[in-house]
Amino acid sequence: MSRFALPALALAVLLAAAPAASQTPMDDPLDARDGRRVERMEKVVRELRAIVFQGRDKGVPVVVQPADTDARMQDLASRIGDLEQTLRRLNGSLETATHELDVAKRESTALQAQVKAMADRLAAAEVKLAEPPPPPEPPVEAAPAASAADAFGTARKLMLSGDYDAAENAFAGFVEAYPDAARTPEARYWWGKTLTVRGAHASAATAYIGAIRGWPQTTWAPDAVVELARSLVALKKPADACQTLAELGRRYPKPPATVASRAAAARTQAKCA
């Protein structure tokens, strides 16, 4: 498409002046310079008319563009701004891609190190499998089983040293290994003590019941009865605790003073009548 760009103001002036110039009477004499000026103006007008009419006949519009330097500068500045924004976006995308590439390189390096370490382990395993197996070691003779007295003494030492967890296991093992030994009821009593320390009152009550079965006449039996009553109080069975304390008075009428004092405290806790 052809475009004919002319300043708007000049085109308007020339088109308006054309009829006037053509109709201006030429009776007055003109000097040579004014005559040449008029001739040039008429020539320009004729050329402009030819351009306009030619564009009209051909159906091609005549585009008149204003000679506005400021508008062009603003348009140029706007385009430059757009280019700068595009460049900033490209720089941002480039920085992101560079960062992602660095991360991928680091991950690739770490993965290669892991693969190498795994390959080394596999190679070492293959070498080890290829070696002949070592000769079997001679069987170790089992140590002779400890006697009941030794097992009981070991458990008591653990308890006296304050290692209640180890003592609990030792007394439980003694009861299981020597269920009919002479000191098994006493082992149950001490076993109940270790259970009471860690708050296992139900298991402790079972251990105490096994210890005082038959109401043995021993130094530890009255205290075992009191410990059973205290476990029942902790289990929120005050009636059973009171009944147990009543048996204490019948079975062991003269308990040690410390045991009697602890029994009185248990009666208070159980709110015995």
Side-chain angles (χ1 to χ4, degrees):
M1 178 182 294
S2 301
R3 293 188 179 181
F4 303 93
L6 294 174
L9 181 59
L11 179 61
V13 170
L14 291 175
L15 292 176
S22 61
Q23 296 174 6
T24 301
M26 303 299 293
D27 296 335
D28 294 336
L30 297 173
D31 56 17
R33 185 177 57 185
D34 293 337
R36 287 194 298 270
R37 183 180 301 169
V38 171
E39 290 177 0
R40 287 197 300 270
M41 292 179 64
E42 289 178 349
K43 182 180 179 181
V44 170
V45 169
R46 287 194 298 271
E47 291 177 353
L48 291 174
R49 282 184 173 181
I51 291 172
V52 172
F53 292 151
Q54 181 181 5
R56 184 189 61 185
D57 296 340
K58 292 182 178 180
V60 179
V62 178
V63 179
V64 179
Q65 296 180 352
D68 190 350
T69 304
D70 292 339
R72 293 185 179 182
M73 292 296 293
Q74 291 178 359
D75 181 63
L76 181 59
S78 176
R79 294 183 182 181
I80 293 174
D82 293 340
L83 290 175
E84 290 178 348
Q85 291 181 1
T86 302
L87 182 59
R88 283 195 293 270
R89 287 196 297 270
L90 290 176
N91 288 336
S93 300
L94 181 59
E95 291 177 357
T96 302
T98 302
H99 174 70
E100 292 177 352
L101 180 60
D102 292 339
V103 172
K105 286 181 178 179
R106 289 195 295 270
E107 292 178 351
S108 177
T109 301
L111 182 59
Q112 290 176 359
Q114 293 177 0
V115 171
K116 185 179 181 302
M118 184 176 296
D120 293 341
R121 288 198 296 269
L122 288 175
E126 290 176 355
V127 171
K128 188 173 182 180
L129 289 174
E131 296 177 353
E137 296 181 358
V140 179
E141 296 182 359
S147 64
D150 293 338
F152 187 90
T154 299
R156 280 289 291 148
K157 288 178 181 178
L158 291 171
M159 187 168 184
L160 292 174
S161 67
D163 191 352
Y164 292 104
D165 292 338
E168 177 185 340
N169 294 330
F171 281 120
F174 181 92
V175 170
E176 183 178 359
Y178 308 101
D180 300 323
R183 304 198 71 171
T184 298
E186 184 179 0
R188 291 181 181 275
Y189 162 66
W190 293 116
W191 183 20
K193 285 277 194 180
T194 62
L195 293 168
T196 298
V197 169
R198 68 180 180 88
H201 299 294
S203 299
T206 301
Y208 292 134
I209 290 173
I212 63 174
R213 185 177 290 113
W215 305 102
Q217 298 299 315
T218 62
T219 55
W220 51 263
D223 186 67
V225 175
V226 176
E227 289 295 332
L228 173 59
R230 294 180 61 202
S231 297
L232 293 171
V233 171
L235 293 172
K236 304 199 182 300
K237 295 182 178 181
D240 294 338
C242 293
Q243 184 178 358
T244 301
L245 292 171
E247 287 295 326
L248 173 68
R250 288 194 293 270
R251 302 292 180 176
Y252 308 104
K254 295 181 179 180
T258 55
V259 174
S261 175
R262 294 172 62 245
R267 288 190 183 91
T268 302
Q269 290 178 345
K271 297 180 181 180
C272 299

